[in-house]
Amino acid sequence: MTYRPKKIVDALEYNRKWDEWARQGNWSPVGWRWVEGSKGHRLDQISSTNYLVIQRPHASVYHHSYGMISKFFKGLLEKKFYGTKCPKCGLTFCPPRAHCWNPGCRIQETEWVELPLRGEVFTFSPMAFSATPFLKTLPFIIAYIRVEGCCTTVPTRLIKINPWEVYPGLKVNIHFTDRTKGDIMDLYCTPAETPDPSKCMMTPEGIERLKNDMRKVRDWVVKKFGSEAKPSIDI
Amino acid sequence: MSNRVAIVGAGISRFDNPRFELHEELCAEAVQEMLADNPNIEYPKDIDAVMYSYFSDHLAGQLCFHWIIHDYLGLLPKPAYRVESGGATPVDALINAFMYIKSGIFKNVLIVGWEKMSELNTPKVNEMIAAASDTDWDFPVGGYYTGYYAVLETRHMHLYGETEEDLAKIAVKNHNNATFNPYAQWRSQHGTTFITIDDVFKSRIISWPYRALNCAMISDGGACMLLASEETANKFTDSPVWITGIGLGTDTMRPGDRVDNPMYKGLYPEDEALYPDVSTKPASPYPEMANFGSMRTSGDMAYKMAGIDNPVKQLDFAELFNPYDGVELVEYEDLRFCKLGEGKKIVREGITEWGGELPCQLSGAHTAAGHPVGATSIAQATQIYWQLTEQTANKWKTNARALSGAQRAMLQGHGGTGCQSGVIIFERG
Ligand SMILES: [Zn+2]
């Protein structure tokens, strides 16, 4: 048993197919290839030889506790937005910290506060590639949002805006997804104001280049994932 | 400085993708080169301890890999230690070996570093490396290292105004340097033709403003280096290269926590005064999210130890940690090659090009020589060693990027999004 608690107060129990999934990849070869590859030290010393390559999967299900900042993530499930505030120095954190990092506060424990669903883009990037779990939603914009009153920024997805229209300082509204699941993806942002074209970070040629790039990425995702593709930027 | 520490030997196993040899065989290749180049090393008798450098247990599906390497290299029962700090792993291994020797407990310490990243496909490699970011916050939104560095670079562009073209110029410089390097992955995969700014703009977008040619390669490879005390160095070589300065520094794990970090408040008042008025001035204006405080701290510590107050004049060349081209530009500022915000001037004036006042990345470095994480900075240190001992022309079979008479060089390495940085200053004897 993992993480045996005193009592389960409330739960959305996971489908046990995931335990079966984790047992599937059991470090045993599922295939092999006898390949020709190069051998040798520097590029002026190369010859050819054969190698055996096996395919060996493994997988895990982590039972992860959010510890003392569990209230933030439980809050997401309930569509409430919390941060923490240090009673000594007044710094407000989102992402929350259970203890203050301010050098004068000697690891003071913080207190929970409810935060406004407003902030501004501190920085951002239109993503055209990613790690395995997120490929289907390419292309998308990640923006680091400074929530009103906070001294740190939160990574979120920014939607309903073209990537070349985004700039640091753009005011945004923070929303909850319809079906919250208990991680930071339960939040997303939309612009709270009409973007100011004079603050655009790209040249006209740069914008054209990016438009073409984004189209290519969208087409690639649609081709690769078919009906499962959910591009967040559509141009 | 008494009890000095010297490089007395080094080797690289060619960076490529894939290298089908086992991890331990790649390490053996590098050690073999070092032993062939320096017959004065009585192996394994002269090795007192070993510092092992590799980043990810996930990429190989193997923990404690150094135990496999250690016996493979015939080094039992000598003391051995594994270092891991993301991309800073190899520079940390070198610094740790330096401190082992400075402690007086060991005279000669071997550093062996490697990584094989080709066993997983590219999105999966991104996923495994993203496991070195905060997996509760930055990763779940679709974050990965190119993305993190892209948002940092966007912020720097916003404050200080460098362009996509400036970044492309850095890519061109480094790729073209690598076309001469016979240990480089770019040359293995793409040959010896120079690239242009247009080639960079035509390469696949990864995370704006970064395109494929602005990004570190996914690589297999290894490298090794033997450091020796002043007492034993003469036994190995007449031309030791001395370590005259080391430095270390840190910053937040989550890049988004740097916007107003109270721990940096007031540390660099001259930079705080330069904060531009395009944005509301935070309580801690430097390093903010645009610059790398860990690199400033580590650079300053190493410069002080080595007696450097004007790096552009006092260094002959440098190998920097450049997983993405904006990082190199920002490093120019954080390592004091110029004032805050003037990194773009260094690029436009060609100061770090071949023939410039302070050439950087003559090896090609991460985006062009390759980036097998645990080996990268050790291989860069090896290239520095070859330059300072004037072996480069012989090792590369060309003098196209071989310096003559260079006295002093810098290695900078870091991990995460600049979460941890290390700097080493090297000087020929
Ligand atoms: Zn406090």
Side-chain angles (χ1 to χ4, degrees):
Chain A
M1 273 294 272
T2 41
Y3 264 22
R4 188 195 295 271
K6 277 191 194 157
K7 182 183 168 191
I8 297 169
V9 183
D10 190 10
L12 172 69
E13 286 296 343
Y14 70 104
N15 187 327
R16 297 301 154 132
K17 76 174 184 191
W18 290 108
D19 284 343
E20 185 47 41
W21 167 81
R23 274 191 293 273
Q24 290 281 324
N26 58 2
W27 297 83
S28 182
V30 292
W32 58 264
R33 287 173 178 173
W34 180 240
V35 302
E36 189 179 320
S38 53
K39 178 189 180 192
H41 187 202
R42 286 194 316 255
L43 287 174
D44 51 332
Q45 302 164 327
I46 300 288
S47 61
S48 196
T49 188
N50 291 339
Y51 299 92
L52 183 66
V53 179
I54 58 165
Q55 285 83 40
R56 183 168 61 185
H58 69 99
S60 322
V61 173
Y62 291 89
H63 297 250
H64 175 59
S65 162
Y66 281 124
M68 291 169 74
I69 56 166
S70 290
K71 186 181 169 94
F72 175 85
F73 294 98
K74 187 72 174 9
L76 295 182
L77 288 171
E78 292 158 3
K79 305 196 179 184
K80 288 224 159 83
F81 191 37
Y82 296 108
T84 58
K85 185 171 183 176
C86 173
K88 269 195 186 164
C89 71
L91 285 182
T92 304
F93 301 98
C94 186
R97 294 173 172 267
H99 301 90
C100 182
W101 69 353
N102 205 341
C105 294
R106 298 177 64 85
I107 323 290
Q108 171 69 40
E109 264 192 51
T110 55
E111 295 163 357
W112 289 100
V113 289
E114 199 159 351
L115 295 174
L117 290 164
R118 293 185 304 272
E120 65 175 53
V121 172
F122 198 80
T123 185
F124 72 99
S125 171
M127 304 279 160
F129 200 59
S130 192
T132 320
F134 314 108
L135 294 175
K136 287 175 193 172
T137 58
L138 286 170
F140 54 82
I141 302 169
I142 289 184
Y144 279 71
I145 303 300
R146 187 169 185 148
V147 178
E148 248 179 54
C150 292
C151 68
T152 50
T153 62
V154 190
T156 64
R157 295 282 184 93
L158 175 62
I159 64 166
K160 294 191 178 162
I161 187 167
N162 288 313
W164 55 88
E165 293 177 321
V166 191
Y167 48 83
L170 180 76
K171 300 262 188 294
V172 296
N173 290 320
I174 300 162
H175 310 267
F176 295 97
T177 52
D178 288 343
R179 280 193 209 167
T180 54
K181 58 188 166 68
D183 85 354
I184 189 66
M185 275 293 271
D186 291 343
L187 297 175
Y188 67 94
C189 292
T190 58
E193 58 183 345
T194 309
D196 178 351
S198 73
K199 291 183 178 165
C200 170
M201 290 189 66
M202 299 175 202
T203 59
E205 308 83 69
I207 291 174
E208 279 314 303
R209 228 175 11 244
L210 189 66
K211 276 185 188 172
N212 285 328
D213 290 331
M214 292 289 136
R215 282 189 199 111
K216 273 189 222 159
V217 173
R218 181 203 55 200
D219 293 348
W220 173 76
V221 169
V222 169
K223 192 175 164 204
K224 191 172 171 69
F225 297 105
S227 60
E228 284 180 42
K230 288 192 181 67
S232 316
I233 299 172
D234 202 4
I235 296 158
Chain B
M1 201 189 224
S2 63
N3 187 21
R4 293 187 300 170
V5 176
I7 309 176
V8 297
I12 300 173
S13 80
R14 176 173 55 86
F15 292 2
D16 214 334
N17 184 340
R19 292 279 322 249
F20 288 108
E21 294 88 338
L22 288 169
H23 303 62
E24 53 269 39
E25 294 161 355
L26 293 179
C27 294
E29 186 179 294
V31 174
Q32 245 180 359
E33 178 175 41
M34 177 184 82
L35 296 178
D37 286 358
N38 191 337
N40 297 332
I41 300 169
E42 282 181 73
Y43 184 91
K45 183 170 158 284
D46 284 334
I47 313 294
D48 296 330
V50 191
M51 196 66 69
Y52 286 106
S53 162
Y54 64 103
F55 158 53
S56 175
D57 302 316
H58 297 51
L59 291 172
Q62 174 69 61
L63 279 78
C64 293
F65 218 132
H66 59 297
W67 295 339
I68 294 176
I69 312 288
H70 196 55
D71 75 53
Y72 192 81
L73 294 175
L75 290 165
L76 306 178
K78 295 168 192 288
Y81 202 85
R82 183 237 177 141
V83 177
E84 194 278 295
S85 45
T89 302
V91 75
D92 266 6
L94 291 166
I95 290 172
N96 274 292
F98 167 85
M99 294 192 288
Y100 259 29
I101 296 168
K102 292 293 267 186
S103 78
I105 294 173
F106 301 108
K107 302 262 187 286
N108 312 314
V109 179
L110 177 68
I111 305 99
V112 179
W114 71 93
E115 208 80 41
K116 274 192 78 168
M117 307 173 78
S118 66
E119 296 198 1
L120 300 173
N121 68 25
T122 301
K124 204 72 186 175
V125 171
N126 284 335
E127 183 181 329
M128 293 310 181
I129 297 174
S133 64
D134 191 327
T135 52
D136 283 352
W137 293 92
D138 295 297
F139 180 51
V141 296
Y144 69 123
Y145 264 91
T146 314
Y148 306 142
Y149 275 103
V151 300
L152 295 172
E153 177 53 22
T154 301
R155 184 70 194 168
H156 196 274
M157 290 167 94
H158 171 68
L159 292 184
Y160 302 109
E162 69 269 23
T163 62
E164 289 177 69
E165 187 157 24
D166 292 322
L167 305 181
K169 274 188 182 149
I170 295 173
V172 169
K173 165 177 77 72
N174 294 341
H175 283 80
N176 292 351
N177 285 345
T179 61
F180 299 104
N181 177 359
Y183 300 85
Q185 181 175 336
W186 176 261
R187 175 167 156 184
S188 165
Q189 295 178 332
H190 303 275
T192 55
T193 311
F194 276 12
I195 66 160
T196 64
I197 286 176
D198 205 38
D199 292 326
V200 181
F201 284 156
K202 280 184 187 146
S203 68
R204 188 195 191 288
I205 185 90
I206 307 292
S207 290
W208 188 88
Y210 290 136
R211 294 171 178 281
L213 291 183
N214 294 119
C215 298
M217 304 181 103
I218 291 171
S219 313
D220 298 346
C224 74
M225 180 161 273
L226 182 60
L227 297 186
S229 66
E230 188 157 15
E231 187 188 330
T232 51
N234 288 341
K235 172 194 159 149
F236 300 115
T237 177
D238 297 330
S239 51
V241 165
W242 301 100
I243 292 177
T244 57
I246 58 115
L248 298 159
T250 50
D251 206 337
T252 64
M253 168 57 136
R254 292 192 295 254
D257 284 359
R258 294 176 194 164
V259 304
D260 214 351
N261 184 341
M263 286 167 272
Y264 270 94
K265 191 175 174 181
L267 282 187
Y268 301 103
E270 69 282 14
D271 298 289
E272 295 193 355
L274 291 172
Y275 198 81
D277 57 11
V278 294
S279 187
T280 313
K281 195 168 186 168
S284 306
Y286 180 88
E288 212 239 37
M289 220 170 147
N291 282 75
F292 297 106
S294 62
M295 296 177 205
R296 167 62 59 84
T297 307
S298 58
D300 281 4
M301 179 178 165
Y303 290 157
K304 190 174 174 202
M305 204 182 288
I308 291 172
D309 53 24
N310 184 341
V312 174
K313 293 265 178 291
Q314 290 171 278
L315 293 169
D316 292 301
F317 65 103
E319 286 281 335
L320 306 177
F321 198 89
N322 179 41
Y324 305 97
D325 287 323
V327 180
E328 184 170 329
L329 184 148
V330 175
E331 280 163 348
Y332 298 159
E333 301 173 3
D334 298 325
L335 296 169
R336 299 189 189 277
F337 296 179
C338 60
K339 282 192 185 141
L340 180 64
E342 292 182 357
K344 63 187 181 207
K345 269 178 69 182
I346 299 266
V347 176
R348 290 169 196 178
E349 289 167 12
I351 288 167
T352 56
E353 308 253 347
W354 171 248
E357 207 177 347
L358 179 56
C360 289
Q361 330 291 57
L362 291 176
S363 70
H366 306 64
T367 61
H371 186 23
V373 183
T376 309
S377 301
I378 299 167
Q380 288 181 289
T382 299
Q383 298 284 7
I384 288 173
Y385 173 61
W386 288 339
Q387 291 282 11
L388 290 175
T389 51
E390 308 207 8
Q391 297 182 71
T392 300
N394 178 45
K395 298 304 277 185
W396 288 25
K397 308 293 175 216
T398 171
N399 58 10
R401 290 292 182 272
L403 296 163
S404 153
Q407 298 293 320
R408 194 191 257 167
M410 172 168 69
L411 173 74
Q412 181 271 335
H414 66 261
T417 49
C419 308
Q420 165 161 353
S421 171
V423 167
I424 306 178
I425 309 292
F426 299 100
E427 289 182 47
R428 78 199 279 175

